[in-house]
Amino acid sequence: MKVLVVGGGGREHAICWKLSQSPHITRLFCAPGNGGIESVAQCVPIAATDVEGMVNWAKGHAIDFVVVAPDDPLALGMVDAMEAAGIPAFGPTADAAVIEASKIFSKNLMKKYGIPTAKYEAFTDLDSALAYVDEQGAPIVVKADGLALGKGVVVAQSVEEAREAVRSMMCDHRFGEAGAKVVIEECMTGPEVTVLAFCDGEHLLCMPSSQDHKRAYDGNQGPNTGGMGAISPSPNYTAAVAIQCMRDIFLPTVAALKAEGRPFKGVLYFGLMITPEGPKVVEYNARFGDPECQAILSLLDSDLLEIMAACRNGVLHQVDIRWKSGAACCLVLASGGYPGSYVKGYPIIGISEAEETAVVFHAGTMLADDGTLQTNGGRVLGVTATGADLNAAIDAAYQSAKCIHFTDMHYRTDIGRV
Ligand code: AMP
Ligand code: GLY
C-alpha cells in the first residue's frame, strides 16, 4: 500500500516511524514532513492546510490510505475531501473534529450529555465577559473559542489578569478569529492526565495514559507551550480512575458524538483533571497529542496501519492491540526563546550518539542544501526513550539528550518529576 501522512512535526515523525514498520506499506510519504522524517518517508512539499493540493497530489500518486494528523487540516475537512475523492483517510470529519476546533461546541456537548467538566459560560460580547469575570472572581480560566496552537488559554490568578486576557482575545485579536468568542470557566485543581483513544465511530480503545508538560520552564512555570515533554503511562491514572473515566467520560463522549450525527473516527484526546470531585474534562482534541504521541507510539507493539484502517472501517473491535510493558518518556529540546520568538538555522549535532539509547523524533528541523541538519522551529527534537519503569525511561531520555547540541538549546530538567 502507498500511504501518505499529513503534517510535519514530532508527532508525524513518530507516526511515520511506526507506520514504516508495517509490512503492508510499500511506499510511505509525508507532507510536508521535516528534516528527520526524510529517513523513514519521502517528504512532499505541500502545506498541511492545503486541502485541495493534498487531495490532488494523493489522487495523482494513487495513494491508498491517508493519515491526517494535525488539527488544522482536520478542522478544514481534509478527511471529508479525501473520502469524497475515493481515498480512504484516517481522522475525524470536520463535523466531528469540531469537538477540538470549538471550545464552545465541546462545552455545550458536555453540558447536554452530563459529562463532568468545569462550570462555564461562553461570550461573544466584551462587556458581558468582563462583567462575568468581576462576578465570579479569581482564580478563573479564560479560553479562546477556536484553535490557537495550544496557547489560547489563560489561567488567571487575579481578576485584573482575567480582564486583561479577555480584552487581548476579544479586542486586540491576539488569537485572530479564534478569540472572537471566549469561554470563561471555573478553575479546577488536581493532577492532569491525558488519555488517547482510537475510535471507529462507535467503539473506542484506550491507549496507555500519558502526561504532557505544557509550561516552558521547570516547576511548571512560565508560558504555555505546545508541550515540553511527555511520559506514559501517567502515575496519576490509577485503575479506579480509569474505570470512572470510562463510565462517566469516554463512553458518554463517543455516544454523544454519534447521537449528534458526528460519529468520531480517529484519535480522540481526553485532557483530564483528577479533581477532588473526580475526573473532569479539561479539553478534547481530535488527534494525537504532540509530544504524547511520541511517548505512546514507542510503546505500541501492534501494526499501526491495521489499527488505523480498522478505525476508518468501523471494525475496531476486530483488532487486537498489544502494548509493550514498561514506560516511555519524550523530552522536547526547544529553541531558546520558545514559545516566544527564536532564531532558526543553527546546526544540530549528536543525534546519532543519542540514538544509541533513544529514538530522536524531529519536530522543527530541516536539511540545509549542504546536507547539515539545522533548527527550523520552536520545538526542535523529541528525545524518546523506553524503560522497564518510568524512572528508567526518564533517566534514559535525559542521558541521551546530553549527546545533542545546538546554540541556545532549551529543555526542562523535570519531565516526569513534577
Ligand atoms: P487547554 O488548552 O484547554 O488544555 O488548557 C491548557 C492548560 O490550561 C491545561 O492543560 C490546564 O493546565 C490549564 N487549564 C485549562 N482549563 C482549566 C481549568 N478549568 N482549570 C484549571 N486549569 C485549566
Ligand atoms: N500536547 C498537547 C497537544 O498536542 O495539544
Side-chain angles (χ1 to χ4, degrees):
M1 282 175 78
K2 287 160 88 176
V3 175
L4 167 67
V5 174
V6 175
R11 167 183 53 207
E12 288 76 18
H13 191 181
I15 292 171
C16 288
W17 168 81
K18 192 66 207 171
L19 285 175
S20 71
Q21 298 165 13
S22 171
H24 303 296
I25 296 181
T26 47
R27 295 290 302 277
L28 183 59
F29 300 92
C30 186
N34 66 38
I37 292 176
E38 293 277 5
S39 65
V40 283
Q42 187 179 327
C43 295
V44 185
I46 305 172
T49 49
D50 179 0
V51 175
E52 201 188 328
M54 202 68 79
V55 171
N56 288 338
W57 188 89
K59 271 202 292 201
H61 290 76
I63 295 297
D64 300 299
F65 195 77
V66 177
V67 176
V68 183
D71 50 1
D72 301 343
L74 289 169
L76 290 169
M78 190 178 280
V79 167
D80 312 57
M82 289 290 176
E83 292 281 354
I87 305 168
F90 175 84
T93 57
D95 269 358
V98 75
I99 195 166
E100 168 171 10
S102 168
K103 296 216 189 268
I104 295 178
F105 171 86
S106 68
K107 295 297 288 191
N108 288 342
L109 186 84
M110 287 185 269
K111 192 183 265 182
K112 180 168 173 190
Y113 291 88
I115 297 165
T117 188
K119 195 174 90 181
Y120 73 100
E121 291 291 336
F123 297 93
T124 49
D125 168 66
L126 176 71
D127 291 333
S128 327
L130 293 174
Y132 185 74
V133 166
D134 290 343
E135 176 197 313
Q136 294 294 312
I140 193 159
V141 181
V142 182
K143 300 185 174 186
D145 175 51
L147 299 174
L149 292 171
K151 295 168 199 163
V153 173
V154 176
V155 181
Q157 297 304 329
S158 69
V159 167
E160 208 23 68
E161 193 188 344
R163 289 178 66 96
E164 180 47 41
V166 170
R167 271 194 222 102
S168 79
M169 286 178 200
M170 298 186 89
C171 313
D172 310 342
H173 303 291
R174 208 171 123 212
F175 301 104
E177 265 310 295
K181 301 180 206 158
V182 299
V183 168
I184 303 181
E185 64 179 37
E186 165 204 3
C187 188
M188 303 185 284
T189 54
E192 285 185 62
V193 173
T194 298
V195 177
L196 308 190
F198 290 111
C199 299
D200 70 356
E202 189 153 1
H203 315 93
L204 94 171
L205 258 171
C206 290
M207 304 180 212
S209 65
S210 59
Q211 205 163 320
D212 187 11
H213 297 68
K214 288 201 168 125
R215 301 298 193 100
Y217 312 127
D218 283 0
N220 293 328
Q221 300 297 310
N224 263 324
T225 68
M228 293 298 291
I231 52 164
S232 176
S234 160
N236 294 313
Y237 194 66
T238 60
V241 169
I243 290 169
Q244 248 182 320
C245 288
M246 184 58 85
R247 184 193 60 208
D248 300 339
I249 297 175
F250 305 159
L251 294 174
T253 300
V254 173
L257 285 165
K258 188 168 175 235
E260 293 290 313
R262 303 165 186 267
F264 191 99
K265 295 183 174 187
V267 172
L268 188 49
Y269 173 122
F270 298 91
L272 307 167
M273 198 169 268
I274 316 299
T275 75
E277 300 103 61
K280 294 189 183 180
V281 176
V282 178
E283 64 160 347
Y284 293 113
N285 289 330
R287 51 175 174 84
F288 276 109
D290 183 339
E292 294 93 325
C293 177
Q294 292 88 311
I296 292 169
L297 287 188
S298 64
L299 294 172
L300 179 61
D301 233 355
S302 305
D303 187 312
L304 180 59
L305 184 67
E306 287 177 12
I307 302 169
M308 289 177 156
C311 289
R312 187 266 174 189
N313 296 331
V315 292
L316 192 54
H317 55 292
Q318 291 176 6
V319 294
D320 167 34
I321 308 189
R322 292 174 313 278
W323 299 94
K324 295 185 174 74
S325 61
C329 173
C330 172
L331 169 64
V332 170
L333 308 182
S335 293
Y338 173 78
S341 60
Y342 51 83
V343 176
K344 297 182 189 178
Y346 291 128
I348 306 168
I349 56 165
I351 291 185
S352 40
E353 290 80 353
E355 291 215 299
E356 284 170 22
T357 43
V359 182
V360 180
F361 294 120
H362 294 224
T365 72
M366 64 171 284
L367 282 172
D369 291 340
D370 64 2
T372 58
L373 189 71
Q374 298 187 348
T375 63
N376 191 40
R379 292 189 292 177
V380 177
L381 299 167
V383 180
T384 309
T386 53
D389 60 22
L390 215 40
N391 278 331
I394 294 166
D395 287 347
Y398 276 102
Q399 228 23 63
S400 309
K402 278 191 191 151
C403 306
I404 298 176
H405 300 277
F406 55 84
T407 304
D408 294 339
M409 179 171 105
H410 161 68
Y411 61 91
R412 279 183 57 165
T413 64
D414 60 355
I415 299 301
R417 309 277 191 216
V418 284

